Amino acid sequence: MPSPFRHHRGLAAALPVDNIDTDQIIPSREMKTVSRDGLGEGLFAGWRYTEPGGREPVADFVLNRPEQAGTSILISGSNFGCGSSREHAVWALMDYGVRAVIAKSFGEIFHGNCLRNGILPVTLPEEDIDRLIAQASGGEIMIDLAAQTVTAGALPGWTGHFEIGAYSKRLLLEGLDPIGLTLLQAPSISAFQEADARARPWVYSAG
Amino acid sequence: MATLFDKLWDMHRVGDAGDGDDLIAIDRLLLHERTGGVALKSLAAAGHRVRDPARVFSIMDHIVSFRHGRGRDEARSPGGEAFIVETREMAQTAGIHLIDTDNPAQGIVHVVAPELGIALPGLTLVCPDSHTCSLGALGALAWGIGSSDAEHAMATGTLRAAKPRQMLIRVAGRLSPGVSAKDLALYIIARFGSDGGKRCAIEYAGEAISDLSIEGRLTLCNMAVEFAAFTALIAPDAKTLDYVSGRPFSPSGAQVETALAHWQTLRTDEGAEFDEVIEVDAGKVAPQVSWGTSPEDSLALTDALPADASARALAYMGLTAGQSVKGLAIGGAFIGSCTNGRLSDLKAAAEILKGRRVAPGVRAVCVPGSQAVSREAEALGIDRIFKDAGFEWGAPGCAMCFYAGGETFPPETRVMSSTNRNFEGRQGPGVRTHLASPAVVAASAIAGRICAPSDILVEGGVA
């Protein structure tokens, strides 16, 4: 179960590229364990290390710069997390210490995976993202989930507002287990299935 | 008046999940060994049981070896055996269906699910794999999810979801001879961008869609995730009903008639409204090839690279803006995957390959999408055509579509690929993937350079 997310203040790094896919976030070759843990080392492995499978850092990759040590917020372009459904992409971000990603838009499945794991996906308008990338990356960014706002140390007077579904917001704020929440509705699910099995028996009896 | 998507959504809506989400009943859940073991393990660790094991199917496909005569646990990637073994053990413990590596029905989950009748019109299907949208081709509401959602679906029989916006893509006219569903998919993504599906549920309709075979529809819907769609759908018609009947997990006996009557109601009502509508003229679609590192970086084979092509993509692909993709020398060719690993794909390639040889220096690999495809191809002598042309003929699975640390093409190899993704490193570190239809891949393998099937046919087989 993820820990609650209320406010977050952290160092931001810019990855100003559109369509960053989950193969880049964690290459398949880095998904080495049958587990959710220990994947942070493989985060952005193709961009972060000089050799596939190696651990020699690429000096100018943003997360390898000394001043970016401890980065916990990423700022990126449109369609971040597109591609494969691998939840390992989110587990790798989590394991590395990333708590929020601010982007112009997100891959659908990745977006849901973030919410299930306590990472906040923040969508802001293009002009806000461009300003953040130009002026606020490398500095501190503050995110207040309850107020749905983003502020940046480097941009006094500026406040970004983001939308988030109320259920997702509650999951994050309270660190809830989605399965536990849904199981509270088990009687409705059973009632639905009993009626549905009369209408569509083949769904329930096949095989 | 309701859209097909509205009908499917309402039919599966268990109730209000609070805060704007719906609780949606999931009819069948598919798992594979790359993430299935993790999901089953963490579900068990959290103390939850699988609510209805008979409706959960685990299929080995992602990292199984494509070597003929492979061992039961043999993986393509180093350490991959653990995923196969773990998924098998967890599936057996949970009592779900298991289609193991040595099962005659084994293959890629999105190829096998239609073959076995696991995917049917009107069903909700989910799988922790982004190409689950393929199954919308049968009029099923199918979408890719993450591992946590797979656990949720197993434990509760439902998923919480906000109803997505809806898009109609109407493809008027007919595709020209030699233009396939893959070309149409790449054309749409290139024209409207890889974010162009706007997270909508898409319905494909129009003459060109009705014309497509079921396998072509599966290919088209497969690529919807590369278009940032929530999923894609095609209303079931006579072809669909004919395709799905009599399969192992299809309705049988007295249920057949009820099912048929139900399936015939699955269509968008006249006048139902969509949030977005895209019109495509099928006649304008030419054979496509991708040049960059996103499927949106695609163009007609005869077109030159755009002047404003991304410098990053050009550098990775070893290209310059304005140049032509056609004629580029290639070092690899791959036919297979959940996009284009079906019998009709292999047949289309075999038509080009028959009596010809792959150019020297090209490593060409064909991996049938399933054991059934493999058996049918062998019965028709298609495997022979591939092998005689110099193709390797692999054992079914996702092999060579994505890199998992095992055997692949060398860095900077230019590879013509019938798969769905040309991302950086997708088929191996530094590998330069060009997406295309099986026919275009086959023609390019023969020529040793990127070309159209018509170029090969004109040349009479001499590249």
Side-chain angles (χ1 to χ4, degrees):
Chain A
M1 204 182 304
S3 53
F5 185 116
R6 295 193 180 95
H7 311 272
H8 181 72
R9 171 191 287 267
L11 189 60
L15 287 161
V17 183
D18 291 339
N19 299 322
I20 292 181
D21 57 76
T22 51
D23 281 61
Q24 307 315 318
I25 299 171
I26 185 160
S28 191
R29 63 176 179 274
E30 295 285 348
M31 292 158 56
K32 290 174 183 162
T33 62
V34 191
S35 152
R36 293 166 172 248
D37 304 317
L39 294 158
E41 221 185 274
L43 182 72
F44 294 115
W47 295 348
R48 195 169 149 202
Y49 306 120
T50 55
E51 294 289 332
R55 290 293 180 259
E56 169 90 20
V58 170
D60 66 348
F61 179 63
V62 60
L63 294 179
N64 290 338
R65 293 181 199 145
E67 68 275 17
Q68 289 288 168
T71 291
S72 61
I73 298 173
L74 300 181
I75 317 167
S76 191
S78 64
N79 212 20
F80 185 91
C82 61
S84 142
S85 67
R86 64 186 70 163
E87 200 157 313
H88 302 71
V90 173
W91 299 333
L93 287 165
M94 200 74 197
D95 194 53
Y96 185 85
V98 171
R99 294 304 314 275
V101 181
I102 305 174
K104 293 175 187 174
S105 61
F106 289 90
E108 173 83 18
I109 304 172
F110 176 85
H111 188 267
N113 286 343
C114 280
L115 297 169
R116 304 296 175 266
N117 288 277
I119 288 185
L120 179 63
V122 174
T123 306
L124 289 179
E126 278 196 53
E127 57 273 22
D128 283 340
I129 299 271
D130 293 340
R131 265 191 90 183
L132 283 176
I133 288 172
Q135 294 168 262
S137 62
E140 272 202 335
I141 284 183
M142 286 69 71
I143 301 172
D144 182 337
L145 175 56
Q148 297 176 210
T149 58
V150 179
T151 50
L155 295 170
W158 172 84
T159 302
H161 295 268
F162 62 91
E163 295 300 319
I164 181 168
Y167 169 78
S168 303
K169 184 171 172 176
R170 191 175 152 218
L171 272 187
L172 285 168
L173 284 172
E174 300 177 31
L176 297 171
D177 167 22
I179 294 178
L181 266 185
T182 302
L183 286 175
L184 298 175
Q185 297 191 48
S188 320
I189 297 169
S190 298
F192 173 92
Q193 290 186 345
E194 280 163 31
D196 190 40
R198 287 192 289 277
R200 300 186 308 146
W202 60 91
V203 176
Y204 299 85
S205 63
Chain B
M1 285 179 296
T3 63
L4 169 57
F5 182 79
D6 289 330
K7 292 179 188 180
L8 295 176
W9 192 268
D10 291 349
M11 194 195 311
H12 289 91
R13 190 174 175 279
V14 173
D16 198 339
D19 305 335
D21 282 1
D22 290 327
L23 193 60
I24 297 296
I26 301 303
D27 294 328
R28 290 178 181 173
L29 173 79
L30 302 150
L31 297 174
H32 57 77
E33 83 282 13
R34 191 55 155 160
T35 53
V38 188
L40 287 162
K41 200 165 86 173
S42 97
L43 187 71
H48 298 302
R49 64 180 185 86
V50 180
R51 186 183 164 100
D52 193 352
R55 295 194 284 133
V56 182
F57 301 79
S58 183
I59 301 172
M60 304 289 190
D61 64 3
H62 266 60
I63 50 176
V64 298
S65 168
F66 65 102
R67 191 182 63 81
H68 253 290
R70 68 186 173 207
R72 192 163 175 246
D73 301 337
E74 189 180 328
R76 178 165 55 101
S77 49
E81 301 77 17
F83 290 80
I84 296 171
V85 170
E86 175 98 13
T87 300
R88 177 185 300 129
E89 282 172 7
M90 296 307 300
Q92 284 167 340
T93 305
I96 63 177
H97 294 278
L98 173 64
I99 300 174
D100 210 337
T101 47
D102 52 2
N103 188 311
Q106 180 269 341
I108 304 173
V109 58
H110 312 308
V111 177
V112 168
E115 282 174 353
L116 295 186
I118 297 170
L120 295 169
L123 296 190
T124 46
L125 292 136
V126 290
C127 174
D129 186 279
S130 59
H131 293 106
T132 310
C133 50
S134 310
L135 307 174
L138 299 175
L141 178 50
W143 71 98
I145 55 174
S147 299
S148 300
D149 266 351
E151 291 175 40
H152 188 284
M154 281 193 275
T156 71
T158 65
L159 280 178
R160 288 173 176 263
K163 189 177 178 184
R165 295 165 70 251
Q166 297 182 57
M167 176 185 282
L168 174 67
I169 301 185
R170 195 184 292 119
V171 189
R174 316 185 85 140
L175 292 172
S176 308
V179 176
S180 70
K182 177 64 162 292
D183 298 308
L184 177 60
L186 289 173
Y187 173 87
I188 292 171
I189 298 167
R191 182 155 162 215
F192 299 98
S194 57
D195 211 13
K198 300 180 182 176
R199 279 147 279 278
C200 291
I202 291 175
E203 181 174 348
Y204 283 104
E207 190 187 5
I209 305 302
S210 309
D211 266 4
L212 286 178
S213 67
I214 297 301
E215 298 201 344
R217 295 177 191 182
L218 287 159
T219 299
L220 179 65
C221 291
N222 174 277
M223 296 288 287
V225 69
E226 317 306 336
F227 194 49
F230 172 78
T231 190
L233 273 172
I234 295 173
D237 59 10
K239 278 185 205 174
T240 320
L241 303 190
D242 183 49
Y243 178 91
V244 300
S245 61
R247 295 181 183 266
F249 292 97
S250 295
S252 58
Q255 292 172 6
V256 172
E257 256 182 69
T258 326
L260 278 171
H262 165 64
W263 292 339
Q264 277 156 359
T265 67
L266 300 177
R267 59 189 63 254
T268 291
D269 296 329
E270 195 79 36
E273 300 242 337
F274 288 81
D275 301 293
E276 307 261 347
V277 178
I278 283 179
E279 307 271 356
V280 174
D281 177 355
K284 291 196 173 146
V285 184
Q288 303 281 306
V289 62
S290 76
W291 58 265
T293 54
S294 159
E296 75 182 9
D297 303 335
S298 295
L299 38 68
L301 264 167
T302 46
D303 287 352
L305 287 183
D308 62 348
S310 132
R312 184 187 180 96
L314 289 173
Y316 182 84
M317 295 298 289
L319 299 171
T320 48
Q323 84 174 99
S324 181
V325 176
K326 196 172 165 179
L328 288 171
I330 63 166
F334 173 64
I335 293 175
S337 83
C338 59
T339 312
N340 281 126
R342 299 183 180 81
L343 188 65
S344 55
D345 300 313
L346 272 47
K347 275 183 175 170
E351 272 183 44
I352 316 284
L353 297 176
K354 195 167 188 175
R356 298 189 169 91
R357 288 281 307 170
V358 168
V362 176
R363 182 188 180 196
V365 181
C366 175
V367 180
S370 70
Q371 304 278 0
V373 169
S374 191
R375 279 192 303 274
E376 288 170 50
E378 285 163 16
L380 295 169
I382 288 174
D383 64 318
R384 202 67 259 163
I385 295 174
F386 271 90
K387 289 177 207 162
D388 287 349
F391 265 78
E392 296 166 47
W393 183 257
C398 304
M400 303 299 259
C401 171
F402 68 91
Y403 177 65
E407 187 181 358
T408 187
F409 301 100
E412 300 194 1
T413 310
R414 200 171 291 290
V415 179
M416 288 298 282
S417 181
S418 76
T419 58
N420 39 59
R421 289 186 177 142
N422 51 353
F423 300 159
E424 284 180 29
R426 175 73 180 174
Q427 287 190 288
V431 172
R432 294 164 170 168
T433 298
H434 292 269
L435 304 173
S437 72
V440 171
V441 173
S444 305
I446 297 297
R449 53 186 167 77
I450 299 177
C451 72
S454 55
D455 300 320
I456 288 291
L457 301 175
V458 165
E459 289 169 19
V462 182

Coordinates of all heavy atoms in Angstrom, one line a residue, chain A residues 196 198-203, chain B residues 4 7-8 10-12 27 120-124 139-140 236 241 251 255-267:
Chain A
D196 N -26.4 -10.8 -14.3 CA -25.6 -10.9 -15.5 C -25.5 -12.3 -16.0 O -25.6 -12.6 -17.2 CB -24.2 -10.3 -15.4 CG -23.5 -10.0 -16.7 OD1 -24.2 -9.7 -17.7 OD2 -22.3 -10.3 -16.7
R198 N -27.6 -14.6 -15.7 CA -28.9 -15.0 -16.4 C -29.0 -14.5 -17.8 O -29.4 -15.1 -18.7 CB -30.1 -14.5 -15.6 CG -30.3 -15.3 -14.3 CD -31.6 -15.1 -13.6 NE -31.7 -13.7 -13.0 CZ -31.2 -13.4 -11.8 NH1 -30.6 -14.4 -11.0 NH2 -31.3 -12.2 -11.3
A199 N -28.5 -13.2 -18.0 CA -28.5 -12.6 -19.3 C -27.4 -13.2 -20.3 O -27.6 -13.3 -21.5 CB -28.4 -11.1 -19.2
R200 N -26.2 -13.4 -19.7 CA -25.1 -13.8 -20.5 C -24.4 -15.0 -19.9 O -23.3 -14.9 -19.4 CB -24.0 -12.6 -20.6 CG -24.6 -11.3 -21.2 CD -23.5 -10.3 -21.4 NE -22.8 -10.1 -20.2 CZ -21.5 -9.8 -20.1 NH1 -20.8 -9.7 -21.2 NH2 -20.9 -9.6 -18.9
P201 N -25.1 -16.1 -19.9 CA -24.6 -17.3 -19.1 C -23.2 -17.8 -19.6 O -22.4 -18.3 -18.9 CB -25.7 -18.4 -19.4 CG -26.5 -17.9 -20.5 CD -26.4 -16.4 -20.5
W202 N -22.9 -17.5 -20.9 CA -21.7 -18.1 -21.5 C -20.4 -17.4 -20.9 O -19.4 -18.0 -20.9 CB -21.7 -17.9 -23.0 CG -21.8 -16.4 -23.5 CD1 -20.8 -15.6 -23.7 CD2 -23.0 -15.7 -23.7 NE1 -21.3 -14.3 -24.1 CE2 -22.6 -14.4 -24.1 CE3 -24.3 -16.1 -23.7 CZ2 -23.6 -13.4 -24.4 CZ3 -25.3 -15.1 -24.0 CH2 -24.9 -13.8 -24.4
V203 N -20.6 -16.2 -20.3 CA -19.5 -15.5 -19.7 C -19.0 -16.3 -18.5 O -17.9 -16.4 -18.1 CB -19.9 -14.1 -19.3 CG1 -18.7 -13.4 -18.6 CG2 -20.3 -13.3 -20.5
Chain B
L4 N -21.8 2.1 -29.5 CA -21.4 0.7 -29.1 C -20.7 0.8 -27.8 O -21.0 0.0 -26.9 CB -20.5 0.1 -30.2 CG -19.9 -1.2 -29.8 CD1 -20.9 -2.3 -29.4 CD2 -19.0 -1.7 -31.0
K7 N -23.0 1.3 -24.9 CA -23.8 0.0 -24.6 C -22.9 -0.9 -23.8 O -23.4 -1.5 -22.8 CB -24.2 -0.7 -25.9 CG -25.3 0.1 -26.6 CD -25.7 -0.6 -27.9 CE -26.7 0.3 -28.7 NZ -27.1 -0.3 -30.0
L8 N -21.7 -1.1 -24.2 CA -20.8 -2.0 -23.5 C -20.5 -1.5 -22.1 O -20.5 -2.3 -21.1 CB -19.4 -2.2 -24.3 CG -19.6 -2.8 -25.7 CD1 -18.2 -2.8 -26.4 CD2 -20.1 -4.3 -25.5
D10 N -22.4 0.5 -20.2 CA -23.6 0.4 -19.4 C -23.9 -1.0 -19.0 O -24.3 -1.3 -17.8 CB -24.8 1.0 -20.1 CG -24.7 2.5 -20.3 OD1 -23.8 3.1 -19.7 OD2 -25.5 3.1 -21.1
M11 N -23.6 -1.9 -19.9 CA -23.9 -3.3 -19.6 C -23.0 -3.9 -18.5 O -23.4 -4.8 -17.8 CB -23.6 -4.1 -20.9 CG -24.2 -5.5 -21.0 SD -23.4 -6.3 -22.4 CE -23.6 -5.1 -23.7
H12 N -21.8 -3.3 -18.4 CA -20.9 -3.8 -17.4 C -20.8 -2.9 -16.2 O -19.9 -3.1 -15.3 CB -19.5 -3.9 -18.0 CG -19.4 -5.0 -19.0 ND1 -19.7 -4.9 -20.4 CD2 -19.2 -6.4 -18.9 CE1 -19.6 -6.0 -21.0 NE2 -19.3 -7.0 -20.1
D27 N -15.1 -9.3 -17.4 CA -15.6 -10.7 -17.8 C -14.4 -11.6 -17.8 O -14.5 -12.8 -17.3 CB -16.3 -10.7 -19.1 CG -17.6 -9.9 -19.1 OD1 -18.2 -9.9 -18.0 OD2 -18.0 -9.3 -20.1
L120 N -14.5 -12.4 -27.0 CA -15.8 -12.5 -27.7 C -16.4 -11.1 -27.8 O -16.1 -10.3 -26.9 CB -16.7 -13.4 -27.0 CG -16.3 -14.9 -26.9 CD1 -17.2 -15.6 -25.9 CD2 -16.3 -15.6 -28.2
P121 N -17.3 -10.9 -28.7 CA -18.1 -9.6 -28.7 C -18.8 -9.4 -27.4 O -19.2 -10.3 -26.8 CB -19.1 -9.9 -29.8 CG -18.6 -10.9 -30.7 CD -17.8 -11.8 -29.8
G122 N -18.8 -8.2 -27.0 CA -19.5 -7.8 -25.8 C -18.8 -8.0 -24.5 O -19.3 -7.6 -23.4
L123 N -17.7 -8.7 -24.5 CA -17.0 -9.0 -23.2 C -16.2 -7.8 -22.8 O -15.7 -7.1 -23.7 CB -16.1 -10.2 -23.3 CG -16.7 -11.6 -23.6 CD1 -15.6 -12.6 -23.4 CD2 -17.8 -11.9 -22.7
T124 N -16.0 -7.6 -21.5 CA -14.9 -6.8 -21.1 C -13.7 -7.7 -20.8 O -13.8 -8.7 -20.1 CB -15.2 -6.0 -19.8 OG1 -15.8 -6.9 -18.9 CG2 -16.2 -4.8 -20.1
G139 N -15.4 -6.5 -31.2 CA -16.5 -5.9 -30.6 C -16.5 -6.1 -29.1 O -17.5 -6.0 -28.4
A140 N -15.3 -6.4 -28.5 CA -15.1 -6.5 -27.1 C -14.6 -5.2 -26.6 O -13.8 -4.5 -27.2 CB -14.1 -7.7 -26.8
P236 N -19.3 -5.8 -34.1 CA -19.4 -7.1 -34.7 C -20.3 -7.2 -35.9 O -21.4 -6.6 -35.9 CB -19.8 -8.0 -33.6 CG -20.3 -7.1 -32.5 CD -19.8 -5.7 -32.7
L241 N -19.1 -12.7 -36.2 CA -19.9 -13.8 -35.6 C -19.5 -15.2 -36.2 O -19.4 -16.2 -35.5 CB -21.4 -13.6 -35.9 CG -22.0 -12.3 -35.3 CD1 -23.5 -12.3 -35.4 CD2 -21.5 -12.0 -33.9
P251 N -19.5 -19.5 -26.6 CA -20.7 -20.2 -26.1 C -21.0 -21.5 -26.9 O -20.6 -21.6 -28.0 CB -21.8 -19.2 -26.4 CG -21.1 -17.9 -26.7 CD -19.7 -18.2 -27.1
Q255 N -26.6 -22.0 -25.3 CA -26.3 -20.6 -25.2 C -25.9 -19.9 -26.5 O -25.9 -18.7 -26.5 CB -25.0 -20.5 -24.2 CG -25.4 -20.9 -22.8 CD -24.1 -21.0 -22.0 OE1 -23.0 -20.7 -22.4 NE2 -24.3 -21.5 -20.7
V256 N -25.7 -20.7 -27.5 CA -25.3 -20.1 -28.8 C -26.3 -19.1 -29.3 O -25.9 -18.0 -29.7 CB -25.0 -21.2 -29.9 CG1 -24.7 -20.6 -31.2 CG2 -23.8 -22.0 -29.4
E257 N -27.6 -19.5 -29.3 CA -28.6 -18.6 -29.9 C -28.7 -17.3 -29.1 O -28.9 -16.2 -29.6 CB -29.9 -19.4 -30.0 CG -30.2 -19.8 -31.4 CD -31.6 -20.5 -31.5 OE1 -32.6 -19.8 -31.3 OE2 -31.6 -21.7 -31.7
T258 N -28.7 -17.5 -27.8 CA -28.8 -16.3 -26.9 C -27.7 -15.3 -27.2 O -27.9 -14.1 -27.3 CB -28.8 -16.7 -25.4 OG1 -29.4 -17.9 -25.2 CG2 -29.4 -15.6 -24.5
A259 N -26.5 -15.9 -27.3 CA -25.3 -15.1 -27.5 C -25.4 -14.4 -28.9 O -25.2 -13.2 -29.0 CB -24.1 -16.0 -27.5
L260 N -25.8 -15.1 -29.9 CA -25.9 -14.5 -31.2 C -26.9 -13.4 -31.2 O -26.6 -12.3 -31.8 CB -26.3 -15.6 -32.3 CG -25.2 -16.5 -32.8 CD1 -25.8 -17.6 -33.6 CD2 -24.2 -15.7 -33.7
A261 N -28.0 -13.6 -30.6 CA -29.0 -12.5 -30.5 C -28.5 -11.3 -29.8 O -28.7 -10.1 -30.2 CB -30.3 -13.0 -29.8
H262 N -27.7 -11.5 -28.7 CA -27.1 -10.4 -28.0 C -26.1 -9.7 -28.8 O -26.0 -8.5 -28.9 CB -26.5 -11.0 -26.7 CG -25.6 -10.1 -26.0 ND1 -26.0 -8.9 -25.5 CD2 -24.2 -10.2 -25.8 CE1 -24.9 -8.3 -24.9 NE2 -23.9 -9.0 -25.1
W263 N -25.2 -10.5 -29.5 CA -24.1 -9.9 -30.3 C -24.7 -8.9 -31.4 O -24.0 -8.0 -31.7 CB -23.2 -10.9 -30.8 CG -22.5 -11.7 -29.8 CD1 -22.2 -11.2 -28.5 CD2 -21.9 -13.0 -29.9 NE1 -21.5 -12.2 -27.8 CE2 -21.3 -13.3 -28.6 CE3 -21.8 -13.9 -30.9 CZ2 -20.6 -14.4 -28.4 CZ3 -21.1 -15.1 -30.6 CH2 -20.5 -15.4 -29.4
Q264 N -25.8 -9.3 -31.9 CA -26.4 -8.5 -33.0 C -26.9 -7.2 -32.5 O -27.1 -6.3 -33.4 CB -27.5 -9.3 -33.7 CG -26.8 -10.2 -34.8 CD -27.7 -11.5 -35.1 OE1 -28.7 -11.6 -34.6 NE2 -27.1 -12.3 -36.0
T265 N -27.0 -7.0 -31.2 CA -27.4 -5.6 -30.7 C -26.2 -4.7 -30.5 O -26.4 -3.6 -30.2 CB -28.2 -5.8 -29.4 OG1 -27.2 -6.2 -28.4 CG2 -29.3 -6.8 -29.5
L266 N -25.0 -5.3 -30.7 CA -23.8 -4.5 -30.4 C -23.4 -3.6 -31.5 O -22.5 -4.0 -32.3 CB -22.7 -5.5 -29.9 CG -23.0 -6.3 -28.7 CD1 -21.8 -7.3 -28.4 CD2 -23.3 -5.5 -27.5
R267 N -24.1 -2.5 -31.7 CA -23.7 -1.6 -32.7 C -24.1 -0.2 -32.3 O -25.0 0.0 -31.4 CB -24.3 -1.9 -34.0 CG -25.9 -2.0 -34.0 CD -26.5 -2.5 -35.3 NE -26.0 -3.9 -35.5 CZ -25.1 -4.3 -36.4 NH1 -24.5 -3.5 -37.1 NH2 -24.8 -5.6 -36.5

